[in-house]
């Protein structure tokens, strides 16, 4: 064991005699007095300043190393690599809640980031058994390594072997519950935890974290537990588009697969087309990864499907976790967890919608209000669960915050859409109170009262995998963040132990099953917390009732990405409607589609597998087919405008809608032709146009050359049958020999170009084919004869 050298300088760590740490009221009074003195007189310097053990050691502050590095006290070696400290500590495991029987376990990774090996040393772990944090600033300063708090109570130490340059080692510390190091903690709550890596009696690096002692087994007054609601949005941002299914939908070529997969049929309700495998939950696909083979148009990634199964198991283990599910995700993921409510379909970003204040732009992009209303969410969930509409109406609906904040306009729109309760992050109310309070607000809007459940800032950050500060190096790992989360929740309960409060904490959209297990398992052991449900929190006495919103704009959302996506989506949808109205022989406009079928009532997942060829053969009316194309486009558009801050899926969806439109227009194309040779003043240039669409088209074919002497006729109209070809001829006129290129292109009936351009080479070789040619030749011969006669009969000059 490495024995720390007692330091006498002010602000240095104080080692009290063992008798003071173990015995009597006098000892505790003296320790408390010394702690208070240290807090008052010690300079506000990094922990390493008072934790160093030698006079020649260089003091330094906590330094971030990719989010998980710590203080660097200096060891006399050469300059380290970049900004990384020469040594760093990372907490890999830690006992989040210490009880009278749990003991304490700590697993730490020690890294040597220098270019020289480090000798064997010791990792010492200590705390201050009598300390009680008195303010939020106090606990945050300790997390950032700037609070001069002594930790005289050693919990334990472990030998760290020599570490080669650039290497790491992992050490474990296990302390039994009956050890004096834990028995000395006689008060419950968060305690400072200091990890010191010592080599040759020199502290190389310190790391600050927390140890939270529960009231279990202590002779302390039992105070009421603080209410905490833990919720998570069950949704995804990893949507994929199956190119094969898109092509099948474009060509109506899915009849072969339907014999095996079963035909999809519409139930007549919005968003309720079955998948041909039965409507009961027990008859759903087993999720074996063959979703693309079955013709699903929009699917989850394989990684996300695997994660969904793990999530379902974790959610079943923790019934206190409030699950707010996206019904679109539930259907795609093929899981059936118990949910406490449903959110807007496809996690549509309501807050950005209101921030842009351009409903027309969303409609042009293919996203209407009906697609993300509370009624639609309940309907989709009821269909997924095989329930009737009366049961669906009983399902609670919650609007989850997107990338922008909940402004008054956003809350009004949410209320208009049927959402009476919304989930907000800490930006909702920027007013800073002295202590935490219930996160329930009621806002009066023109569309009715809206209950806002605001997340507590620090707990929310930690639960979503973020440190409370970039300088909180102990929170760089999951274990470190979990230790801080439990300490912070205990501190909030101790702030006002007899005041009734209900806080909200949420997981992120991409929280893993492992992380959820760790957090919920620890919270379920925290006897100072009462885990409540969303309904209880919504009915709690609101902290504020008003008709205004005090929104914190410091994290104002950037809506430029959404604006760009809307333009792209509007362009691809416009091209689909251009095909329907100005390319198809039997034109279809938006009014025709709306009068025949409600696009929002179509499920593109089923349409991708549906054989519409029978409909096409019976009446040749493309209206239903166009509606299915728009339904597919609009479903992608809805996912492209989700509330997740990740933009890769949004880009993927906009690219997919563009590809859908381009594929449709590309099905009508000009067949490449050979070069044309012209031996007279005029000739014909044949052009073949192919139509691989399941419906006849009527288009214009344009031709233009690069030469003024060799030209073609400009435009001709042509009709091409479904899945067929047709040919049209252009007249070539030539005034001289030479060559040029004819550029042949397609245009719709409105004259707007689309599709490929075919270049055809034209070569002209003039031949004599009429009397004018002979006259020209005769005149040339006559001129030649006259020239010769003059040459022989002219009078010569005497000098010649």
């Amino acid at each position: 064991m490495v024995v720390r050298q007692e330091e006498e300088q002010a602000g240095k760590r104080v080692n009290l005699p063992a008798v003071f740490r173990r015995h009597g009221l006098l000892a505790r009074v003296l320790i408390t007095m010394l702690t208070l003195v240290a807090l008052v007189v010690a300079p506000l310097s990094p922990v390493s300043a008072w934790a160093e053990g030698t006079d020649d050691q260089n003091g330094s502050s906590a330094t971030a190393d990719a989010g998980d590095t710590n203080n660097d006290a200096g060891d006399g070696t050469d300059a380290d690599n970049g900004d990384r400290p020469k040594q760093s500590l990372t907490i890999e495991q830690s006992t989040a809640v210490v009880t009278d029987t749990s003991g304490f376990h700590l697993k730490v990774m020690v890294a040597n980031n220098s270019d020289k090996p480090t000798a064997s040393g010791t990792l010492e772990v200590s705390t201050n058994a009598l300390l009680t944090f008195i303010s939020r600033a106090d606990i945050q300063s300790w997390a950032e390594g700037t609070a001069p708090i002594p930790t005289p109570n050693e919990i334990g130490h472990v030998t760290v072997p020599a570490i080669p340059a650039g290497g790491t080692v992992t050490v474990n510390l296990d302390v039994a519950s009956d050890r004096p190091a834990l028995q000395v903690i006689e008060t419950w709550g968060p305690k400072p935890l200091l990890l010191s890596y010592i080599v040759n009696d020199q502290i190389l690096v310190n790391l600050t974290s927390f140890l939270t002692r529960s009231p279990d087994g202590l002779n302390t007054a039992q105070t009421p537990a603080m209410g905490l609601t833990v919720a998570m949005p069950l949704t995804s941002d990893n949507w994929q588009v199956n190119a094969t299914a898109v092509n099948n939908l474009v060509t109506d070529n899915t009849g072969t697969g339907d014999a095996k997969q079963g035909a999809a049929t519409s139930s007549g309700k919005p968003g309720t087309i079955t998948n041909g495998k039965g409507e009961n939950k027990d008859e759903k696909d087993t999720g074996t990864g063959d979703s693309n083979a079955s013709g699903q148009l929009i699917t989850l990634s394989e990684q996300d499907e695997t994660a969904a199964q793990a999530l379902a198991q974790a959610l079943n283990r923790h019934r206190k976790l409030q699950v707010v599910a996206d019904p679109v995700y539930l259907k795609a993921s093929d899981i059936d967890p118990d949910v406490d409510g449903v959110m807007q379909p496809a996690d549509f970003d309501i807050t950005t919608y209101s921030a842009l204040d351009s409903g027309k732009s969303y409609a042009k992009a293919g996203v209407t209000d009906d697609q993300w209303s509370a009624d639609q969410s309940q309907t989709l969930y009821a269909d997924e669960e095989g329930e009737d509409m009366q049961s669906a109406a009983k399902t609670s609906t919650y609007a989850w915050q997107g990338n922008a904040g909940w402004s008054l306009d956003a809350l009004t729109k949410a209320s208009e859409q049927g959402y009476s309760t919304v989930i907000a992050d800490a930006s909702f109310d920027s007013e800073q109170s002295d202590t935490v309070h219930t996160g329930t607000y009621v806002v009066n809007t023109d569309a009715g009262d809206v209950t806002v459940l605001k997340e507590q800032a620090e707990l929310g950050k930690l639960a979503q995998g973020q440190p409370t500060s970039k300088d909180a190096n102990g929170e760089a790992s999951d274990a470190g963040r979990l230790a801080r989360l439990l300490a912070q929740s205990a501190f909030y309960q101790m702030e006002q132990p007899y005041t009734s409060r209900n806080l909200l904490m949420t997981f992120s959209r991409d929280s893993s099953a492992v992380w959820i297990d760790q957090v919920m398992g620890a919270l379920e052991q925290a006897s100072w917390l009462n885990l409540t449900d969303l309904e209880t929190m919504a009915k709690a006495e609101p902290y504020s009732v008003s008709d205004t919103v005090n929104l914190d704009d410091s994290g104002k959302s950037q809506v430029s990405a959404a604006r760009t996506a809307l333009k792209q989506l509007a362009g691809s949808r416009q091209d689909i409607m251009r095909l329907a109205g100005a390319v198809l022989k039997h034109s279809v406009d938006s009014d025709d589609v709306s009068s025949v079928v409600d696009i929002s009532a179509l499920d593109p997942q089923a349409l991708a597998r549906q054989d519409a060829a029978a409909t096409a053969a019976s009446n040749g009316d493309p209206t239903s087919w166009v509606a299915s194309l728009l339904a597919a486009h609009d479903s992608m558009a809805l996912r492209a405008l989700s509330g997740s801050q990740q933009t890769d899926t949004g880009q993927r969806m906009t690219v997919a809608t563009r590809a859908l439109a381009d594929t449709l227009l590309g099905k009508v194309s000009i067949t490449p032709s050979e070069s044309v040779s012209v031996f007279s003043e005029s000739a014909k240039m044949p052009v073949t146009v192919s139509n691989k669409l399941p419906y006849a088209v009527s288009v214009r074919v344009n031709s233009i050359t690069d030469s003024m002497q060799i030209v073609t006729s400009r435009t001709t109209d042509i009709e091409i049958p479904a899945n067929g070809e047709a040919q049209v001829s252009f007249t070539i006129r030539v005034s001289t020999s030479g060559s040029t290129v004819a550029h042949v292109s397609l245009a719709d009936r409105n004259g707007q170009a689309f599709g490929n351009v075919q270049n055809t080479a034209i070569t002209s070789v003039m031949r004599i084919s009429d009397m004018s040619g002979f006259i020209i030749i005769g005149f040339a011969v006559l001129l030649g004869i006259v020239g010769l006669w003059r040459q022989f009969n002219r009078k010569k000059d005497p000098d010649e």
Side-chain angles (χ1 to χ4, degrees), residues 691-707:
N691 174 26
K692 296 181 181 179
L693 295 174
Y695 297 91
V697 300
S698 175
V699 297
R700 293 178 182 175
V701 186
N702 299 322
S703 176
I704 189 171
T705 65
D706 296 330
S707 172

Side-chain angles (χ1 to χ4, degrees), residues 75 93 127 266 425 475 479 481 489 509 527 556 616 672 676 754:
D75 61 355
Q93 290 181 13
T127 187
S266 173
D425 63 20
E475 299 168 16
R481 286 188 289 271
S489 66
R509 292 168 170 83
S527 56
K556 190 174 182 180
V676 178
F754 72 92

Side-chain angles (χ1 to χ4, degrees), residues 185-501:
I185 304 177
E186 298 181 358
T187 58
W188 85 276
K191 307 296 178 183
L193 188 72
L194 179 66
L195 286 67
S196 299
Y197 176 40
I198 305 173
V199 176
N200 297 327
D201 295 332
Q202 183 179 12
I203 299 177
L204 299 186
V205 62
N206 285 319
L207 182 68
T208 55
S209 185
F210 297 90
L211 178 153
T212 303
R213 179 62 164 92
S214 78
D216 302 335
L218 297 179
N219 295 323
T220 57
Q222 296 296 319
T223 57
M226 181 181 67
L228 178 66
T229 301
V230 185
M232 73 165 293
L234 187 59
T235 185
S236 175
D237 192 41
N238 290 322
W239 298 105
Q240 311 285 336
V241 176
N242 183 358
T244 302
V246 171
N247 187 67
N248 289 339
L249 181 62
V250 167
T251 59
D252 257 348
N253 183 25
T254 56
T256 304
D258 289 333
K260 298 179 181 180
Q261 300 295 338
T265 58
S266 173
S267 66
K269 296 180 294 183
T272 56
I273 293 181
T274 63
N275 61 6
K277 298 179 183 179
E279 295 194 26
N280 296 328
K281 294 288 289 185
D282 296 338
E283 297 178 1
K284 291 180 61 177
D285 188 7
T286 57
T288 56
D290 61 348
S291 58
N292 286 349
S294 66
Q296 291 286 339
L297 181 68
I298 306 174
T299 66
L300 295 171
S301 65
E302 292 184 6
Q303 181 180 0
D304 229 38
E305 289 179 349
T306 303
Q309 300 300 323
L311 273 175
Q313 297 176 13
L315 299 180
N316 289 332
R317 287 191 292 268
H318 305 287
R319 299 291 183 173
K320 292 291 187 179
L321 176 59
Q322 300 295 286
V323 179
V324 182
D326 168 12
V328 174
Y329 171 78
L330 284 181
K331 189 168 187 177
S333 62
D334 197 25
I335 60 175
D336 187 22
D338 291 332
V339 303
D340 301 280
V342 290
M343 62 191 294
Q344 59 269 32
D347 187 23
F348 177 73
D349 193 346
I350 303 175
T351 51
T352 297
Y353 174 94
S354 298
L356 287 174
D357 191 24
S358 182
K360 291 182 179 179
S361 297
Y362 279 80
K364 290 179 180 178
V367 178
T368 62
D369 290 355
D370 291 339
Q371 291 174 262
W372 53 274
S373 67
D375 288 343
Q376 175 73 342
S377 186
Q378 290 174 326
T379 300
L380 291 172
Y381 179 69
D383 175 63
E384 175 65 13
E385 296 294 314
E387 300 176 353
D388 55 25
M389 290 305 299
Q390 291 182 347
S391 300
K394 298 178 182 179
T395 306
S396 300
T397 57
Y398 300 91
W400 207 280
Q401 180 171 332
N403 293 317
W406 281 112
S407 64
L408 185 60
D409 289 339
L411 293 176
T412 302
K413 187 61 180 181
S415 182
E416 292 174 352
Q417 289 290 94
Y419 298 98
S420 59
T421 306
V422 306
I423 309 295
D425 63 20
S427 67
F428 177 74
D429 182 14
S430 60
E431 179 183 356
Q432 297 294 327
S433 58
D434 294 335
T435 58
V436 294
H437 54 75
T438 295
T440 304
Y441 296 73
V442 175
V443 180
N444 310 123
T445 73
D446 294 339
D449 291 347
V450 177
T451 300
V452 180
L453 305 182
K454 174 194 173 183
E455 180 179 49
Q456 205 284 319
E458 285 76 19
L459 298 182
K461 276 188 176 182
L462 295 165
Q464 293 170 24
Q466 305 173 25
T468 57
S469 166
K470 63 181 180 62
D471 296 322
N473 298 316
E475 299 168 16
S477 62
D478 283 349
R481 286 188 289 271
L482 183 57
R484 173 66 190 277
L485 191 153
L486 270 295
Q488 194 75 22
S489 66
F491 170 76
Y492 287 149
Q493 197 281 339
M494 299 175 71
E495 272 189 320
Q496 292 181 314
Y498 295 100
T499 301
S500 177
R501 291 168 296 167

Side-chain angles (χ1 to χ4, degrees), residues 694-764:
Y695 297 91
V697 300
S698 175
V699 297
R700 293 178 182 175
V701 186
N702 299 322
S703 176
I704 189 171
T705 65
D706 296 330
S707 172
M708 296 294 292
Q709 288 75 35
I710 305 175
V711 297
T712 65
S713 52
R714 298 298 296 270
T715 300
T716 184
D717 294 335
I718 185 174
E719 291 184 1
I720 310 104
N723 296 309
E725 291 183 345
Q727 193 176 78
V728 65
S729 295
F730 286 87
T731 300
I732 303 175
R733 296 195 179 277
V734 178
S735 60
T736 185
S737 297
S739 63
T740 188
V741 175
H743 306 286
V744 185
S745 61
L746 295 173
D748 59 29
R749 291 190 294 276
N750 296 326
Q752 187 173 355
F754 72 92
N756 65 316
V757 176
Q758 177 64 36
N759 296 323
T760 301
I762 301 176
T763 302
S764 170

